[in-house]
Amino acid sequence: MGHAAQLFAGNRDQTLIKRVTPTAEQRQFLQEQWNALADHLKKHLPARHGYPVSTWLQGSYKYGTLIRPVHPGEEYDVDVGVYFHWTDEGDATPSPAQLREWVQDELVLYGRGNGDVKEVVTPPKERCSRVVYARQFHIDTPVYHLDPETDRRRLACLSDAWEDSDPKKLYKWFRNAASGDDREQLRRLVRYLKAWAAVSFDEAPESRPWSILLTVLATQAYQGLWGSLLGMDDDDALTAVIKKVHGRLFDKKAVPNPVDRTEDLNRISDAGWEGFLPRLQALLDVAERAEAAEDEASAALVWSEAFSFLMPLPETDQVEIVDERSGRAVMVLPDIEVQVHGGNPKTVLATYRNEVPSVAKDCELTFRITNPHVVPEYATVEWTVRNEGEDADQVSDLGHRRAGLRMLTANEHTAYVGRHFMDCIVRLNGRVYSVRRVPVNIRNLSYPQRNPPRPAYTKLRSILRRR
């Protein structure tokens, strides 16, 4: 039985589902933008070209499984289908390429009059056009022909080909796969898998699974386990789903579309598949070790191998790893000195140990293990920044992780007001050896300041990103 349920979807300030789900303000902004674009297209395309036009929201936003961008520079992805209506009995009807040209031209006109639009990507993609907005998201607009008499849908490709595609059927299949609380749990499980994919394939992007692939895999696994998952917490349910998906994909690569068995949803290339399977195996190993963990802290530290900075840790300043037989600490915890540098030119403003009670924005921090003898010779040291608070939420900068063999120092830059953590995790032979949590409280203040009061919370941003 898992111990990390409260850290996945409990009532705490920081949970995995809260960290990966867009805020209410972000969801509202996305909804306003795609509604405005859809209204524009439905008004102006029929006026210019004579065909009735409808739109239909699709993709992760429609499914309720959208996650926020987890790396700087990434964007929210919203999909709005554009449907031109005519019956197939007509003689002269637009070609796929013509429909794509009409929509692309209209998007360009829309972008010129909308200050929130950064660009309309040119040339468009094979299966959709893309409108990029200034606030970290884009809208993809696949274009379809819809025959209102037969309800048949065809996707218009840029290469002037029709492709049989009906996203509405697949959505209805997902919607009917579960109901009530079960559907909400399934949506959370899909988000967890998408979060894992978002942080686990940086070095192998060609191996990263598509959102719809993970959605179908999780849904079919959930259906197959439904009777045994009743009342199960999210960490245990996720472990069960991972085991089911692992067994399926290691047996066979193909994942047929459940509403069109002729379509394989697994579009990862054979070369990319060689990078996917080891990562799926590692995810299974993490899930099984977390399942066998003795307590919440141990389980969370194991899950953090898969979810990195997205996985919250218990609200303690330090997490001690103890020997089960003696109850004593396995090792002396690393002591971490933090030097604060600021000003122009940069000077040392303050030095702290194991906690930064108060620091201003736009300072450089140097974290250093002052008792390196407690770090074994072949141990890996992970420095993981976990950001919290409204400032970091606004730009979806939830943190980052760096690791190296006996990496005894790390440099960061303060950027977001709030309470953040630098977590130093020492691993030996792949297992947690010791942990030190360093709270960092960032405030709106100016230096110099003597004996500042203990503050509210702050955030860190990697200094490496600024170079």
Side-chain angles (χ1 to χ4, degrees):
M1 177 178 176
H3 295 281
Q6 289 300 309
L7 293 172
F8 271 79
N11 295 322
R12 301 185 184 179
D13 290 339
Q14 289 292 304
T15 62
L16 181 57
I17 194 62
K18 288 179 182 178
R19 286 177 66 79
V20 303
T21 301
T23 65
E25 180 185 357
Q26 289 164 337
R27 292 195 298 271
Q28 180 180 354
F29 177 75
L30 293 176
Q31 183 173 350
E32 290 172 353
Q33 295 297 328
W34 70 253
N35 274 331
L37 177 61
D39 289 344
H40 176 91
L41 296 176
K42 287 186 291 185
K43 176 181 178 180
H44 291 280
L45 285 172
R48 296 186 197 281
H49 306 291
Y51 291 92
V53 169
S54 64
T55 60
W56 193 70
L57 183 67
Q58 55 196 64
S60 297
Y61 197 110
K62 183 73 173 182
Y63 282 69
T65 60
L66 183 70
I67 67 169
R68 66 173 70 189
V70 301
H71 297 298
E74 293 182 344
E75 299 173 338
Y76 286 101
D77 178 10
V78 178
D79 300 291
V80 178
V82 181
Y83 294 80
F84 286 84
H85 297 230
W86 72 76
T87 62
D88 283 331
E89 298 176 356
D91 295 329
T93 56
S95 68
Q98 192 171 19
L99 291 184
R100 294 297 307 279
E101 181 181 357
W102 290 351
V103 172
Q104 179 74 7
D105 290 345
E106 196 60 51
L107 293 175
V108 170
L109 291 174
Y110 179 76
R112 290 173 182 169
N114 188 323
D116 290 319
V117 174
K118 186 165 64 174
E119 69 167 323
V120 176
V121 176
T122 304
K125 302 169 68 175
E126 169 68 6
R127 290 179 172 82
C128 68
S129 293
R130 173 168 293 182
V131 183
V132 181
Y133 288 75
R135 286 183 56 180
Q136 206 178 0
F137 84 102
H138 62 257
I139 296 179
D140 285 336
T141 56
V143 182
Y144 299 84
H145 160 230
L146 170 62
D147 186 333
E149 292 187 359
T150 63
D151 202 36
R152 181 192 181 194
R153 293 162 176 81
R154 297 183 295 170
L155 178 68
C157 297
L158 193 65
S159 58
D160 205 28
W162 292 113
E163 186 176 287
D164 282 329
S165 177
D166 192 349
K168 194 170 185 178
K169 285 184 179 179
L170 188 56
Y171 168 71
K172 287 182 176 180
W173 170 84
F174 173 80
R175 185 190 63 190
N176 295 332
S179 61
D181 291 342
D182 292 332
R183 182 187 296 160
E184 291 308 307
Q185 184 178 57
L186 173 58
R187 284 172 168 156
R188 293 194 301 272
L189 297 179
V190 172
R191 285 195 182 106
Y192 300 146
L193 290 175
K194 290 167 68 172
W196 161 73
V199 297
S200 298
F201 292 85
D202 290 346
E203 298 178 0
E206 72 283 356
S207 300
R208 180 174 172 175
W210 277 262
S211 172
I212 192 60
L213 174 63
L214 293 175
T215 301
V216 170
L217 287 169
T219 302
Q220 292 181 328
Y222 195 82
Q223 288 177 309
L225 294 164
W226 183 79
S228 62
L229 293 179
L230 289 176
M232 189 176 287
D233 290 327
D234 280 11
D235 55 343
D236 290 323
L238 179 61
T239 297
V241 166
I242 290 170
K243 290 178 180 179
K244 193 86 169 177
V245 171
H246 175 275
R248 172 179 180 172
L249 295 183
F250 268 77
D251 179 59
K252 185 181 295 184
K253 177 184 174 184
V255 180
N257 185 331
V259 298
D260 180 4
R261 305 292 294 181
T262 64
E263 180 186 7
D264 184 3
L265 296 177
N266 190 351
R267 297 173 183 171
I268 302 175
S269 67
D270 289 341
W273 196 241
E274 295 301 314
F276 173 83
L277 289 179
R279 287 167 172 80
L280 180 60
Q281 180 64 50
L283 178 62
L284 175 65
D285 177 64
V286 164
E288 291 178 336
R289 285 190 287 115
E291 187 178 35
E294 295 295 325
D295 53 42
E296 181 182 70
S298 299
L301 288 166
V302 175
W303 279 116
S304 73
E305 296 177 37
F307 294 112
S308 187
F309 55 87
L310 298 175
M311 185 69 202
L313 296 184
E315 285 293 329
T316 55
D317 288 344
Q318 65 185 40
V319 181
E320 295 186 10
I321 305 301
V322 300
D323 184 271
E324 295 179 3
R325 294 169 294 180
S326 67
R328 296 179 179 178
V330 172
M331 67 174 290
V332 179
L333 296 178
D335 278 322
I336 299 176
E337 176 189 87
V338 187
Q339 281 193 342
V340 179
H341 303 263
N344 187 17
K346 296 290 185 183
T347 59
V348 177
L349 301 175
T351 300
Y352 302 104
R353 184 175 294 270
N354 298 329
E355 179 183 11
V356 179
S358 182
V359 65
K361 294 171 64 174
D362 200 29
C363 289
E364 294 180 5
L365 305 183
T366 299
F367 298 81
R368 181 173 65 90
I369 296 176
T370 60
N371 53 343
H373 62 278
V374 306
V375 181
E377 183 176 358
Y378 296 105
T380 297
V381 180
E382 293 179 4
W383 297 93
T384 303
V385 170
R386 287 176 168 85
N387 289 333
E388 303 175 12
E390 184 178 347
D391 282 5
D393 279 344
Q394 289 301 315
V395 295
S396 295
D397 188 355
L398 303 181
H400 49 270
R401 177 173 63 185
R402 295 193 303 277
L405 192 64
R406 297 194 89 243
M407 182 186 290
L408 302 179
T409 63
N411 296 314
E412 296 294 333
H413 188 89
T414 60
Y416 313 121
V417 170
R419 179 176 183 250
H420 316 283
F421 282 95
M422 168 63 91
D423 294 319
C424 179
I425 303 176
V426 180
R427 297 185 190 270
L428 186 61
N429 299 323
R431 297 297 189 264
V432 174
Y433 190 66
S434 187
V435 179
R436 170 73 74 179
R437 303 207 75 194
V438 180
V440 178
N441 299 287
I442 302 173
R443 305 181 66 202
N444 279 320
L445 52 81
S446 300
Y447 281 109
Q449 178 172 323
R450 292 181 178 272
N451 301 321
R454 192 177 286 265
Y457 305 122
T458 291
K459 222 62 182 179
L460 305 177
R461 182 175 59 195
S462 173
I463 207 171
L464 296 180
R465 290 197 194 128
R466 295 163 55 86
R467 297 176 180 172

